[in-house]
Amino acid sequence: MKRWQWIAISLLTVASLVVEFNIEHGDHWWSSIPAFYILFGFAGCTAIIFFSKTLGKLFLQREEDYYDVE
Amino acid sequence: MDLSLLLHDTLAIGPISLITLVGLVVLTIEALHNKTENINCWISLVGLAAALVLSLVQLPTTGTAFSDMIATGGYASFFSAVFAAAGLLTVMLSKSYIKKQSIEHGEYYAILLFAIVGMMLMAAATDLVTLFLGLELMSLSFYILAGFVRRRNESNEAALKYFLLGAFATGFLLYGIALLYGSAGTTHIPSIVGKAGMLASSTMFLIGCGLLLIGFAFKIAAVPFHMWVPDVYEGSPTTVSGFMSTGGKAAAFAAVLVVFAPALVRGVEPVRDVLAVIAALSMIVGNVIAIAQTSIKRMLAYSSIAHAGYILVGVIAANSYGAQGVLFYLVAYTMMNVGAFGILSYLESEDGKNVSFDDYRGLSASRPTLALLMGIFMFSLTGIPPFAGFFGKYYVFAGAVQAGYTWLAILGVLMSVISAYYYLRLVVLMYFSEREQDAPVIAVPTSGLGMAALVLSAIALLGFGIYPSVVLNFISHFF
Amino acid sequence: MWSDLFTIPALPMIVGAIILPLLPKSLRSTTFLLFPLISLAIVWTLPDGTLVAVEFMRYTLIVCKVDQLSRVFGIIFAFIAFAGGIYSFHIRETGQQVAALVYAGCAIGITFAGDLLTLVMFWELMAIASAYLVWARRTADSERAGMRYLLVHLFGGSMLLGGILLHVAETGSLEIIRLSESGTLASWLILGGVALNAAVPPLHAWLADAYPRATITGAVFLSAFTTKSAVYVLARMFPGMEILLIFGVIMTLYGVVFAVLANDIREVLAYHIISQVGYMVAGIGIGTEMALNGAVAHAYSHILYKALLFMGAGVVLHTTGTSKFSGLGGLAKSQPVTLWLFMVGAFSISGFPLFNGFISKSMIVSAAGEAHVDTAMLLLMLASVGTFLSIGLKIPALTWFGADRDIAVTKPPVNMHVAMVVVAVLCFVYGVVPSLLYNMLPYSVTYEPYTAYHLMETVQILVFTFVAFWMLRSKFVSHPTITLDTDWFYRKPAGFLRRLVVDSLGQVFDWVEEKIMIGVKKIAIRARNPLTFARNLQAVNPASSERADFDPDVYRPPAELLIALILLGVVALFGMIVLL
């Protein structure tokens, strides 16, 4: 990740926050939480990664020749 | 005996008389001359074609002959046409096959023709005695044909097994006829069916029905009277197997539908229940054991047990859908099974080998036309639209649902899915597998007649699938 | 009446499938493109309310019925068949071309079917045609996968057929009607059969099993037709069923989770088909006009970008020989075109502004919000996070970026890229001018995707999904593993079940036959010479006991014994007559 890419992302984030605080909100319970979608994206992604990996390690992942007794 | 009446009746049962005559002619020619193979084949073909045309001509008019013992027109003519067509296809396929197997004798054609006579009699019977006559004629002819390849053990085994078990089953049938006569006071089938409601409480009648059922179940290859089928079909000459599995079954079902007519089945509950159990078992056993087969011939044998189950569902439904479904299914089944066995006979080696799944690997590369035709037959047997097999099953199962036998229909539909495994496995092997390097190359003599028969069957399957009304218009009058 | 048949949209495709093998090999690929275009023209020009009826068996079949809903599906189906044809222009195998035409034709046939019998006929034929595209890969793996695929689909077809048979018996009509409130066994069976094709868990395992094993070009067709034609039928027959909303939401997350674990590009894409179809199923479940519009719009968009994604994965497979992450990496330098065309698809599916995912997915999410199913709305948004993660981030990271394994890369045929460009352009065009798509939808649209709020929301979610991914990128190392799914239930026991059911049934009958033969032999010995019962046959050598009792020279019953037996018989007879 190059430096300019990080700068671009930060600018985008700031722009989105500016927009967020200047427009009408939706009428859901989460609409009043500031930067909700930032948290949602970050936490959601993390949760999915950890949940899936755990599920895989515990139950689901097997060697490639698992079914090959046929 | 009033001669004019005799003549009139003989003409009335035209196809039957004609084929009998042709059979006798063939037999005579064979006895009196040498090198008669070609002549006999062509005489048979012409005779069968004439019988086919005659049957179709006689279809619209119904009547009876020989003091009400044989029916003419309508139902009888329909089945005469089916048997003549099946016979035609079989003879076309047999011409080069019997030469290949070194059993090229005129008697082959003669006995085949007599078998057809027996079948026609069975379908035309309005009296239990006539029915028995036809059944025996057909069966005896088949016993001989099964063992026609005398030098081969499997053929002898097939003939003997078929004969012994068949005679045994015939005994049941005859005893059943006797009991039915005893309880109903007549051997005239429509009268018996008419009285069925009243007779349902009579033990003698029920036992008679049961014995009759056993005899028929043997002929149609239903579980648990199916044990003879795999060995007999495998040992017999392949074209004969094809004919037995289609014409023989059709004739037996024609008789079943006359005796166990919708009125009787509806009126006699125990018969219906027993039929349902037999149908369910046949569908299950036939399909399940077919999965394990490595020989295509045996696979087709077990699958014919399954198909007997499907067709029985139509008999159990005992309504117009079910009965018409039975007839349509039989037509479709005749085409596809004669075709499938026909291709087997085409590619078979002189000593009866080359009929296992592995021998058909990569066939689409070496014999694309045959592979395509086999594919069509396999698809139709599985019940994939737009081939006729799908509509046969649809009709039969729709009839069952309408009659309240939903569980049978659902079972049938599920078993058809299983059948896809072994039918389409052949298609996969033909199209997506490579031929083994050291597999022997079988020299297959080209036979114009044989190919014509195969192509005709395939076209008929597709045609009847897209235009089932061609057949349905005929049979909708019967029920 | 006969001329009416030529207006059936499915017909050019089926006829084309029959004609194609008869043409010279060099013309086939070009002619292939003709038929979807003809179908597309027909679909475009047929007015609403067109009805083509055919007398068949005892029914009046309606083989073509046109309205807004079927038209929009018909358009995209025909188009994607065309695009797929460009993509597979280099394929020389006629079988695949024929199968693809039949497959697409059946999907279009299903879309315009006006009655249940026509529907189920196309349904069953579609299963065969699509199975061909799996088998055509010609590996031992794909052969078995193809058979599993076919059997599962025929099973679904049999559920559908069973339901239809029951339905016809109950109502006497073949008409395709709304069954959402029906609740009869017939409607549940029909729903089951359709749900299987739509890959609703637990009936979904066939998708991730078969699609990665299909041919490179076949997968593009597979991704479009089976699931979306099922979505069409759901929209037509089962709108507003709450159970669909529940299962739809589950589907979106199910696909996402499994995609994280998958080791094959096409397996990730396959699980995301399940995920995206989940949006459509959920939208159908909500049942409001906006939700249904959203489901249809999303199906339309999904066909486009999913085809694009599979095309990209296909190029990778074609040029490197593998689609498994454990064998890929660092291809960005050698395949920039493929990478960026793939990313167009990835941006679309992730819902980036300016691409078609943004304008369709959010319609469903907003519909969920308007219908006040807030939990569903949140979960659908969560699935979007996962989508971007797997397709926008994981796949490129492991395939084109990441460790350079110095893989040999061949050049792909130019038509593959051409097809990708065509589809990518459309993804962009619809994204920028959404009204082009909105005008085709069955209900009137008041939705406006480009609002400040929506843009803000999307930017925040996407950016911070990326941030989280970047921080956890070490977790995304590829392992050569497989992931178990619900097909474990029929794959693991397969061998055991076969022995239990198939072999043992045959063995039962063999055992019975054996026992009977033994019994028969014993009876036969006795029957040859019944007097062995009378005389105590303590022969002799058990080995020669057979000969012992049937040696006519040795054992002949004496005349006295025979006369005695006859006299016994006479006495018994007279005794019976006298007594009775």
Side-chain angles (χ1 to χ4, degrees):
Chain A
M1 275 292 282
K2 307 203 178 59
R3 191 140 187 252
W4 66 266
Q5 289 166 337
W6 281 117
I7 296 178
I9 286 186
S10 319
L11 283 175
L12 263 178
T13 315
V14 168
S16 75
L17 284 168
V18 166
V19 168
E20 182 177 354
F21 290 115
N22 280 321
I23 59 173
E24 298 159 17
H25 291 181
D27 32 56
H28 304 283
W29 56 262
W30 61 81
S31 307
S32 37
I33 305 175
F36 172 76
Y37 294 108
I38 292 180
L39 295 165
F40 189 79
F42 188 84
C45 183
T46 316
I48 288 177
I49 295 176
F50 277 110
F51 179 73
S52 310
K53 291 272 176 206
T54 318
L55 204 62
K57 271 200 198 66
L58 282 183
F59 298 115
L60 299 176
Q61 279 182 314
R62 295 282 185 280
E63 295 300 310
E64 278 186 334
D65 56 0
Y66 177 74
Y67 282 119
D68 284 351
V69 278
E70 302 173 32
Chain B
M1 181 73 229
D2 189 351
L3 209 58
S4 67
L5 188 64
L6 180 61
L7 194 62
H8 175 260
D9 276 349
T10 314
L11 285 176
I13 59 166
I16 297 179
S17 317
L18 179 63
I19 301 291
T20 316
L21 188 64
V22 174
L24 290 171
V25 165
V26 168
L27 215 49
T28 317
I29 294 182
E30 175 68 18
L32 297 179
H33 296 281
N34 284 329
K35 294 298 287 174
T36 55
E37 289 76 37
N38 273 336
I39 303 178
N40 281 329
C41 177
W42 288 108
I43 294 180
S44 314
L45 280 176
V46 170
L48 283 169
L52 178 59
V53 170
L54 195 56
S55 312
L56 291 174
V57 162
Q58 285 189 330
L59 244 177
T61 53
T62 52
T64 57
F66 290 100
S67 39
D68 216 14
M69 291 187 89
I70 306 183
T72 60
Y75 189 81
S77 289
F78 174 77
F79 272 103
S80 294
V82 173
F83 301 139
L88 210 55
L89 290 171
T90 306
V91 170
M92 287 165 83
L93 287 162
S94 300
K95 183 160 184 298
S96 63
Y97 179 73
I98 57 178
K99 187 165 184 167
K100 178 163 63 176
Q101 303 289 331
S102 313
I103 50 171
E104 199 172 13
H105 308 291
E107 287 91 351
Y108 178 90
Y109 298 112
I111 299 178
L112 201 66
L113 290 168
F114 292 141
I116 297 177
V117 173
M119 293 178 195
M120 290 180 177
L121 267 177
M122 278 176 81
T126 50
D127 193 291
L128 286 171
V129 174
T130 325
L131 178 65
F132 183 72
L133 195 64
L135 184 74
E136 277 300 275
L137 183 53
M138 179 186 86
S139 304
L140 286 171
S141 309
F142 276 145
Y143 302 154
I144 302 173
L145 284 172
F148 218 74
V149 190
R150 285 190 305 175
R151 65 179 189 279
R152 227 185 282 156
N153 277 341
E154 294 89 19
S155 193
N156 290 325
E157 179 199 359
L160 209 55
K161 259 195 180 149
Y162 198 8
F163 171 55
L164 289 174
L165 293 175
F168 193 50
T170 308
F172 278 107
L173 200 79
L174 206 49
Y175 202 172
I177 291 178
L179 287 181
L180 237 52
Y181 177 56
S183 56
T186 170
T187 53
H188 189 237
I189 300 179
S191 313
I192 299 178
V193 171
K195 290 190 200 171
M198 288 189 305
L199 291 167
S201 43
S202 148
T203 328
M204 196 192 300
F205 183 76
L206 287 177
I207 299 181
C209 281
L211 291 171
L212 213 60
L213 209 68
I214 294 177
F216 278 129
F218 174 85
K219 286 297 169 205
I220 62 177
V223 172
F225 308 106
H226 67 286
M227 296 304 300
W228 58 277
V229 169
D231 296 323
V232 172
Y233 283 18
E234 195 182 15
S236 310
T238 312
T239 46
V240 171
S241 305
F243 195 52
M244 281 198 295
S245 68
T246 55
K249 208 192 288 293
F253 267 110
V256 164
L257 214 48
V258 168
V259 175
F260 292 99
L264 191 148
V265 172
R266 278 198 300 265
V268 186
E269 270 307 308
V271 165
R272 210 174 192 183
D273 293 335
V274 170
L275 277 174
V277 171
I278 293 181
L281 283 176
S282 304
M283 291 192 282
I284 297 176
V285 169
N287 278 309
V288 169
I289 303 191
I291 295 177
Q293 301 307 314
T294 53
S295 152
I296 304 180
K297 233 174 161 185
R298 278 187 92 88
M299 178 272 275
L300 286 174
Y302 278 108
S303 83
S304 74
I305 299 173
H307 284 281
Y310 301 138
I311 305 177
L312 264 181
V313 172
V315 174
I316 294 167
N319 50 29
S320 75
Y321 256 109
Q324 289 182 32
V326 169
L327 295 182
F328 188 87
Y329 203 115
L330 285 170
V331 173
Y333 184 68
T334 303
M335 300 287 126
M336 38 197 192
N337 237 32
V338 166
F341 274 107
I343 295 188
L344 277 182
S345 75
Y346 209 88
L347 292 171
E348 194 175 314
S349 69
E350 284 152 12
D351 52 351
K353 297 274 178 285
N354 202 45
V355 286
S356 69
F357 278 93
D358 281 328
D359 297 318
Y360 276 63
R361 286 175 161 266
L363 194 70
S364 57
S366 47
R367 310 292 301 248
T369 330
L370 285 179
L372 178 65
L373 289 170
M374 192 56 140
I376 293 179
F377 297 133
M378 291 293 117
F379 280 133
S380 192
L381 282 164
T382 314
I384 305 283
F387 300 106
F390 173 76
F391 297 104
K393 285 201 176 128
Y394 181 87
Y395 246 97
V396 163
F397 294 142
V401 170
Q402 279 194 345
Y405 279 87
T406 312
W407 65 273
L408 259 183
I410 305 232
L411 183 65
V413 172
L414 284 175
M415 290 297 123
S416 301
V417 176
I418 295 183
S419 74
Y421 174 70
Y422 54 81
Y423 285 132
L424 298 182
R425 189 162 51 121
L426 185 57
V427 176
V428 172
L429 281 173
M430 289 194 298
Y431 278 92
F432 300 110
S433 298
E434 303 283 299
R435 191 161 179 80
E436 275 146 52
Q437 296 300 346
D438 54 349
V441 177
I442 310 279
V444 174
T446 48
S447 160
L449 271 183
M451 277 304 276
L454 292 173
V455 171
L456 274 174
S457 312
I459 293 180
L461 276 177
L462 193 56
F464 291 151
I466 302 182
Y467 297 108
S469 27
V470 169
V471 176
L472 290 174
N473 283 340
F474 286 134
I475 66 183
S476 53
H477 302 300
F478 305 152
F479 298 99
Chain C
M1 201 226 93
W2 280 109
S3 56
D4 282 348
L5 286 177
F6 285 105
T7 58
I8 302 175
L11 198 67
M13 309 286 279
I14 308 282
V15 167
I18 300 175
I19 293 179
L20 211 64
L22 306 171
L23 295 172
K25 237 188 168 114
S26 48
L27 286 181
R28 283 183 198 153
S29 294
T30 334
T31 328
F32 182 102
L33 296 174
L34 199 59
F35 302 111
L37 285 178
I38 299 178
S39 287
L40 185 56
I42 295 180
V43 173
W44 204 281
T45 54
L46 275 182
D48 277 356
T50 312
L51 217 71
V52 177
V54 169
E55 292 297 322
F56 190 78
M57 304 210 288
R58 289 178 170 182
Y59 304 114
T60 305
L61 294 188
I62 303 174
V63 289
C64 176
K65 187 173 170 189
V66 182
D67 65 8
Q68 276 286 71
L69 181 63
S70 49
R71 186 201 303 282
V72 62
F73 275 94
I75 291 176
I76 190 62
F77 282 154
F79 175 76
I80 207 68
F82 173 70
I86 301 179
Y87 187 74
S88 47
F89 200 83
H90 60 283
I91 296 288
R92 288 279 161 251
E93 185 190 335
T94 324
Q96 280 197 56
Q97 294 169 321
V98 169
L101 279 175
V102 173
Y103 185 29
C106 287
I108 297 178
I110 288 175
T111 312
F112 289 100
D115 70 273
L116 291 168
L117 186 56
T118 313
L119 182 81
V120 76
M121 287 201 287
F122 280 122
W123 200 271
E124 303 264 23
L125 193 54
M126 188 169 76
I128 305 275
S130 49
Y132 188 102
L133 293 172
V134 178
W135 277 321
R137 190 90 186 277
R138 295 207 161 89
T139 60
D141 213 16
S142 68
E143 189 176 310
R144 285 195 294 269
M147 185 59 87
R148 286 194 294 268
Y149 173 90
L150 182 66
L151 289 178
V152 168
H153 274 274
L154 287 181
F155 172 68
S158 70
M159 275 205 286
L160 184 63
L161 184 61
I164 290 176
L165 284 174
L166 276 173
H167 179 86
V168 172
E170 281 165 20
T171 63
S173 150
L174 274 178
E175 201 190 329
I176 294 186
I177 55 174
R178 183 189 162 116
L179 288 176
S180 320
E181 291 83 29
S182 177
T184 59
L185 177 64
S187 47
W188 282 114
L189 280 175
I190 295 178
L191 181 61
V194 178
L196 189 142
N197 266 36
V200 177
L203 302 169
H204 68 288
W206 56 270
L207 216 165
D209 180 32
Y211 283 23
R213 297 186 171 92
T215 59
I216 293 173
T217 55
V220 173
F221 289 94
L222 284 168
S223 71
F225 294 117
T226 305
T227 40
K228 271 22 126 257
S229 53
V231 165
Y232 164 79
V233 177
L234 281 177
R236 177 73 74 182
M237 293 180 83
F238 298 97
M241 276 183 96
E242 194 181 346
I243 192 173
L244 286 180
L245 171 59
I246 300 173
F247 270 92
V249 172
I250 294 177
M251 272 171 89
T252 52
L253 294 167
Y254 193 102
V256 159
V257 166
F258 275 80
V260 172
L261 296 172
N263 187 38
D264 182 306
I265 305 181
R266 301 203 294 176
E267 193 180 332
V268 173
L269 295 177
Y271 274 113
H272 272 281
I273 296 181
I274 298 178
S275 179
Q276 297 300 305
V277 172
Y279 280 92
M280 301 171 217
V281 171
I284 295 173
I286 297 174
T288 61
E289 286 197 354
M290 185 167 159
L292 287 172
N293 267 351
V296 175
H298 201 55
Y300 194 98
S301 305
H302 182 255
I303 289 179
L304 284 173
Y305 59 64
K306 194 44 77 101
L308 180 55
L309 290 169
F310 267 98
M311 286 183 190
V315 171
V316 171
L317 182 53
H318 185 102
T319 54
T320 63
T322 178
S323 56
K324 292 208 164 87
F325 294 126
S326 43
L328 293 168
L331 295 173
K333 286 188 227 47
S334 35
Q335 328 190 290
V337 175
T338 312
L339 166 60
W340 285 107
L341 287 172
F342 182 90
M343 288 312 289
V344 169
F347 291 147
S348 302
I349 198 176
S350 310
F352 268 59
L354 300 184
F355 295 100
N356 58 359
F358 182 74
I359 63 149
S360 56
K361 191 188 301 190
S362 49
M363 202 190 281
I364 301 180
V365 179
S366 301
E370 292 212 354
H372 302 293
V373 269
D374 282 351
T375 326
M377 188 178 177
L378 270 182
L379 290 174
L380 290 178
M381 286 198 286
L382 183 61
S384 286
V385 170
T387 309
F388 181 46
L389 171 64
S390 289
I391 303 192
L393 298 170
K394 170 177 161 177
I395 293 185
L398 292 176
T399 313
W400 286 285
F401 300 101
D404 194 333
R405 292 178 215 239
D406 228 351
I407 303 159
V409 172
T410 64
K411 218 166 177 332
V414 76
N415 55 288
M416 289 172 114
H417 279 150
V418 168
M420 288 177 79
V421 167
V422 168
V423 180
V425 163
L426 274 181
C427 285
F428 182 69
V429 165
Y430 280 118
V432 171
V433 191
S435 50
L436 284 176
L437 174 54
Y438 289 173
N439 287 340
M440 291 197 272
L441 294 178
Y443 304 102
S444 57
V445 179
T446 52
Y447 180 71
E448 178 53 60
Y450 286 98
T451 61
Y453 185 83
H454 190 203
L455 285 167
M456 176 271 295
E457 169 193 323
T458 311
V459 164
Q460 287 188 352
I461 290 185
L462 289 175
V463 166
F464 280 86
T465 305
F466 171 76
V467 169
F469 167 76
W470 184 258
M471 290 170 55
L472 295 167
R473 65 189 184 283
S474 57
K475 300 247 165 239
F476 284 92
V477 177
S478 55
H479 303 283
T481 54
I482 62 166
T483 321
L484 301 183
D485 205 338
T486 52
D487 60 350
W488 179 88
F489 288 104
Y490 55 83
R491 282 184 73 178
K492 200 67 175 123
F496 163 73
L497 272 182
R498 185 190 159 112
R499 276 193 304 284
L500 180 66
V501 176
V502 176
D503 294 343
S504 60
L505 195 56
Q507 280 165 6
V508 162
F509 284 106
D510 288 340
W511 178 87
V512 168
E513 189 171 337
E514 205 184 299
K515 289 283 169 261
I516 292 181
M517 291 306 281
I518 296 177
V520 164
K521 253 196 210 140
K522 290 208 178 110
I523 297 178
I525 299 174
R526 297 269 175 263
R528 275 194 208 110
N529 202 344
L531 285 167
T532 56
F533 286 116
R535 196 186 129 111
N536 198 354
L537 224 232
Q538 84 281 56
V540 197
N541 260 328
S544 63
S545 63
E546 267 200 67
R547 253 159 264 248
D549 71 343
F550 191 56
D551 193 340
D553 296 326
V554 167
Y555 196 68
R556 310 184 87 87
E560 305 92 340
L561 189 56
L562 293 176
I563 295 178
L565 282 172
I566 294 174
L567 283 177
L568 199 63
V570 169
V571 169
L573 201 66
F574 275 106
M576 267 179 18
I577 297 175
V578 164
L579 289 172
L580 301 171

